[in-house]
């Protein structure tokens, strides 16, 4: 392991990653925020905020990776882009399935602890379908639980592919560039610190209501802290997948799986649950599965430093 911490390259990388993302977030804020952003494509409900989030914000870590290598002249040694699928397929399988299963487990834990927020009639799903079904098709004619099961299966099996285009932008930065350069601190510290930085990077959009909204105790300040807790736990898993697979792609797949399943709990919700707690994985209870796995990785996953 390289014991020399290259502070210069790390700081240059962070300046690019945070600079692009936070300046873009400022543009979103000044043009109406997330809720009042100008709509660019009314037919698809595509807003300026959505375009900027999916583009410059989510891709800023990858852009920072490329720019830092160019500015520092360090070349392209070990960019972690080789899939290594033949040797690392078990890691890919873990990345594909485990994040989704952990998300569902956290959702179940939340509803067990707060059953008043669980809606067995799937009213939210019924409402969404009513707005989208063609005229003449009645929601009552559909088996909502079958549809929910199909949606869950699609999220588990297809989301890791569909969402990977977007999540590559983050993982090629955090796990393929920053994490390896923090390994001089030891594996455990590198995994945790990468997760903390990843969470702080989210703060501007969290303060604008992303993930948690504003209707929770301690809003809007506790939301950013809850996000850091989630990114540390999820980041430990994604970082471990990168190290185990010797490639960024398992982390890309794992991140895509989280994003694909994260909203599943919404179709079972009634009332106004505390978003700091769940049922999504960014809540303290909704993300309990990630917390348990992260603790296991830190204790038994190698690299005790």
């Amino acid at each position: 392991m390289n014991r020399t911490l290259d502070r210069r390259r790390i700081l240059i990388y962070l300046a690019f990653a945070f600079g692009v993302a936070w300046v873009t977030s400022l543009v979103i804020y000044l043009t109406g925020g997330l809720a009042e952003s100008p709509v660019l494509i009314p037919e698809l409900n595509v807003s300026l905020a959505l375009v900027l989030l999916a583009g410059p914000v989510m891709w800023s870590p990858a852009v920072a990776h490329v720019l830092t290598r160019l500015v520092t002249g360090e070349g392209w040694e070990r960019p972690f882009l080789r899939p290594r699928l033949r040797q690392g397929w078990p890691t890919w399988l873990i990345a594909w399935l485990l994040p989704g299963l952990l998300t569902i487990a956290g959702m179940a834990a939340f509803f067990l602890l707060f059953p008043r927020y669980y809606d067995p009639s799937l009213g939210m799903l019924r409402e969404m379908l009513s707005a989208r079904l063609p005229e003449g098709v009645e929601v009552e004619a559909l088996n909502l639980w079958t549809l929910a099961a199909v949606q869950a299966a699609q999220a588990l099996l297809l989301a890791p592919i569909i969402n990977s285009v977007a999540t590559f932008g983050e993982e090629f930065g955090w796990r393929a560039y920053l994490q390896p350069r923090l390994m001089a601190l030891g594996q455990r510290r590198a995994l945790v610190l990468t997760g903390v930085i990843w969470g702080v990077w989210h703060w501007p959009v969290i303060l604008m209501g992303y993930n948690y909204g504003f209707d929770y105790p301690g809003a809007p300040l506790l939301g950013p802290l809850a996000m850091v807790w989630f990114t540390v736990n999820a980041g430990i898993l994604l970082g471990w997948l990168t190290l185990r697979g010797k490639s960024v792609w398992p982390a890309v797949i794992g991140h895509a799986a989280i994003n694909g399943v994260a909203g599943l709990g919404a179709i079972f919700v009634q009332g106004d649950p505390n978003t700091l707690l769940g049922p999504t994985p960014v809540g303290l209870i909704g993300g309990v599965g990630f917390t348990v796995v992260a603790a296991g990785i830190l204790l038994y996953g190698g690299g005790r430093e």
Side-chain angles (χ1 to χ4, degrees):
M1 180 188 296
N2 182 8
R3 294 286 178 178
T4 303
L5 187 69
D6 195 332
R7 290 181 174 84
R8 175 175 171 268
R9 287 175 178 168
I10 291 172
L11 289 175
I12 290 173
Y13 169 79
L14 293 177
F16 281 132
F18 277 76
V20 173
W22 285 22
V23 168
T24 305
S25 297
L26 178 61
V27 173
I28 293 174
Y29 176 74
L30 294 176
T31 55
L34 300 178
E36 302 296 331
S37 180
V39 177
L40 302 180
I41 308 177
E43 297 81 6
L44 300 176
N45 197 28
V46 174
S47 66
L48 175 63
L50 179 61
V51 171
L52 294 178
L53 283 174
V57 173
M58 290 193 69
W59 277 81
S60 63
V63 171
H65 181 160
V66 175
L67 291 178
T68 303
R69 286 185 182 271
L70 293 175
V71 169
T72 61
E74 62 185 283
W76 287 95
E77 183 182 359
R78 299 192 69 198
F80 284 84
L81 282 175
R82 284 185 60 189
R84 302 181 185 274
L85 185 56
R86 179 176 297 180
Q87 300 87 2
W89 67 264
T91 305
W92 283 63
L93 185 61
I94 293 171
W96 200 294
L97 297 177
L98 183 60
L101 295 175
L102 294 177
T103 299
I104 292 173
M107 178 184 69
F110 176 84
F111 286 128
L112 283 173
L113 289 173
F114 302 100
R116 66 183 180 277
Y117 295 121
Y118 173 67
D119 180 12
S121 69
L122 304 183
M124 186 65 69
L125 179 59
R126 186 185 307 274
E127 182 178 329
M128 290 188 294
L129 288 173
S130 297
R132 298 178 183 178
L133 285 175
E135 187 176 351
V137 178
E138 298 293 335
V139 176
E140 286 70 18
L142 303 175
N143 189 319
L144 295 183
W145 275 99
T146 298
L147 292 176
V150 170
Q151 185 171 337
Q154 288 178 335
L156 282 170
L157 300 177
L158 299 181
I161 298 176
I162 298 170
N163 294 337
S164 60
V165 174
T167 57
F168 177 83
E170 292 190 51
E171 295 307 318
F172 188 55
W174 305 127
R175 252 59 66 175
Y177 190 86
L178 180 61
Q179 180 177 288
R181 281 144 190 83
L182 293 176
M183 289 295 286
L185 300 173
Q187 180 174 309
R188 282 203 295 197
R189 293 188 185 93
L191 292 175
V192 172
L193 185 55
T194 302
V196 171
I197 293 170
W198 182 28
V200 173
W201 173 83
H202 282 88
W203 279 4
V205 293
I206 300 298
L207 289 170
M208 284 188 276
Y210 195 73
N211 279 328
Y212 301 98
F214 299 105
D215 190 20
Y216 61 84
L221 299 180
L222 290 186
L225 297 180
M227 189 64 189
V228 171
W229 176 254
F230 169 73
T231 55
V232 167
N233 291 314
I236 288 170
L237 172 58
L238 297 176
W240 176 80
L241 289 170
T242 301
L243 295 173
R244 179 183 172 91
K246 299 180 181 178
S247 170
V248 73
W249 291 106
V252 172
I253 294 296
H255 191 164
I258 295 171
N259 287 1
V261 185
L264 187 62
I267 67 176
F268 300 99
V269 167
Q270 63 181 355
D272 296 306
N274 184 342
T275 52
L276 292 179
L277 300 179
T280 67
V282 296
L284 299 181
I285 296 173
V288 68
F290 291 94
T291 303
V292 171
V293 168
I297 289 172
L298 292 182
L299 291 173
Y300 305 110
R304 301 295 183 88
E305 298 179 34

